[in-house]
Amino acid sequence: MKQIRVYNQVFRIEKTVYSVQGIQLPIPVSYRQLAFFAGTLFFMFLLNEIPPFSWVDYYLIKFIGIPLLVAWFFTRKTLDGKAPHRFLIRFLEYRSQPKYFARYQEIPVEKKAIYHYTGTVVYRRHEEVTDDAKHPLSD
């Protein structure tokens, strides 16, 4: 099989922020990382009023640590070769779809039928051996 070289990644240069309002950042941050940080920070402000989060008084962890961790995870890690948010979207899409198809058309699934046995059912009764009654094979 012949391998075709693709140079799309070479021409896709990620834009980087080095300072905000004249304040130098410790490391250069991409716009995507900044967006994840800002989105998580906004989400944490909304969750700050809900009881489990309102009980925690560590503002450095809530408003700096968690957004930094989320921004790092969503921009650096991959799940099944995809970005985590895209993986989560596809996973939820898969779980919400019908699972039975024929020629890409949904097959209606009948409800589970209740089975009624018409024949006879044979079973063996188990008797427990006590100390008083000896087992016939043991001497």
Side-chain angles (χ1 to χ4, degrees):
M1 177 181 250
K2 189 174 183 180
Q3 185 177 6
I4 300 173
R5 300 207 182 267
V6 179
Y7 296 100
N8 290 340
Q9 195 66 22
V10 174
F11 300 112
R12 191 181 309 145
I13 300 170
E14 202 168 306
K15 294 183 172 104
T16 317
V17 177
Y18 294 95
S19 65
V20 176
Q21 294 291 322
I23 300 169
Q24 193 74 17
L25 296 174
I27 57 169
V29 178
S30 69
Y31 283 139
R32 193 164 166 249
Q33 289 172 328
L34 199 58
F36 275 114
F37 181 83
T40 308
L41 185 64
F42 176 72
F43 193 66
M44 290 305 290
F45 275 121
L46 291 177
L47 289 179
N48 193 28
E49 301 300 321
I50 297 176
F53 292 99
S54 65
W55 297 336
V56 177
D57 289 333
Y58 301 113
Y59 292 105
L60 189 64
I61 292 173
K62 277 200 298 194
F63 299 118
I64 302 294
I66 293 175
L68 276 175
L69 184 68
V70 168
W72 172 80
F73 180 74
F74 277 85
T75 56
R76 297 287 183 215
K77 296 296 176 186
T78 58
L79 300 173
D80 202 22
K82 299 180 185 123
H85 62 284
R86 290 195 177 126
F87 177 81
L88 184 64
I89 289 169
R90 296 291 179 233
F91 176 74
L92 294 174
E93 182 181 308
Y94 167 75
R95 296 300 287 176
S96 65
Q97 287 180 347
K99 302 295 184 274
Y100 300 101
F101 290 99
R103 296 183 182 173
Y104 300 105
Q105 299 295 322
E106 181 184 351
I107 298 174
V109 179
E110 298 177 13
K111 293 185 178 181
K112 292 184 179 180
I114 300 172
Y115 294 105
H116 295 285
Y117 296 104
T118 56
T120 58
V121 178
V122 179
Y123 63 94
R124 187 184 322 187
R125 192 168 69 183
H126 175 71
E127 293 181 12
E128 192 171 318
V129 179
T130 60
D131 291 337
D132 297 337
K134 286 185 112 184
H135 194 275
L137 295 178
S138 64
D139 286 324

